[in-house]
Amino acid sequence: EVMFFGGMFLGYAVYRGAYSTAYAEASRHLDVLLGAINTAVLLFSSLTMAFAVRAAQLGGRRTVVLFLIATIILGAVFLGIKSIEYYHKYEEHLIPGERFEFSAPNKNHAQLFFSFYFVMTGMHALHMIIGIAIMLVMILLTLKRRFSAEYYFPVEMTGLYWHFVDIVWVFLFPLLYLVDRS
């Protein structure tokens, strides 16, 4: 996963360096407020996930389930906001392809920026959906009393996965939304 996302970050960095003016202009078409709200939502979801792991360590089944549900809800909020952003890009004709419209110079380079934007955020969203599915399984297993204070390893690994997904976003947000803003 690190190498997978690392490759995308490397590709983005190489082309951003080559076409920095177009990337800066294209980045200004992203909604910083929605991106910032999503960042706060994900950071808070990391907190609820950490509380779920701690509850598992203490053997609190009900608390584990409640914090996992809270994390799932926060993940769903993130995905909902991201879908609103995607819809805005569709309405603005900023989805790469035949209908792509960009009024500033360097249209092709801006289209490359949006290609990276959709691939990177789309892969991030896919990983979030997988994380939510894993948390649903953890809820079922917790309700079936498969975990205890002595054995909570799957919940802890789910937490590590979720934190990784959150960390990826912590890098995506400034690279896509904030770099070259002025």
Side-chain angles (χ1 to χ4, degrees), residues 49-63:
M49 187 70 229
F51 285 155
V53 171
R54 182 64 180 151
Q57 291 171 338
L58 298 173
R61 288 183 191 93
R62 183 171 184 258
T63 309

Side-chain angles (χ1 to χ4, degrees), residues 31-53:
D31 191 325
V32 175
L33 178 61
L34 290 179
I37 291 168
N38 259 351
T39 301
V41 166
L42 275 191
L43 291 175
F44 194 67
S45 78
S46 271
L47 179 65
T48 58
M49 187 70 229
F51 285 155
V53 171

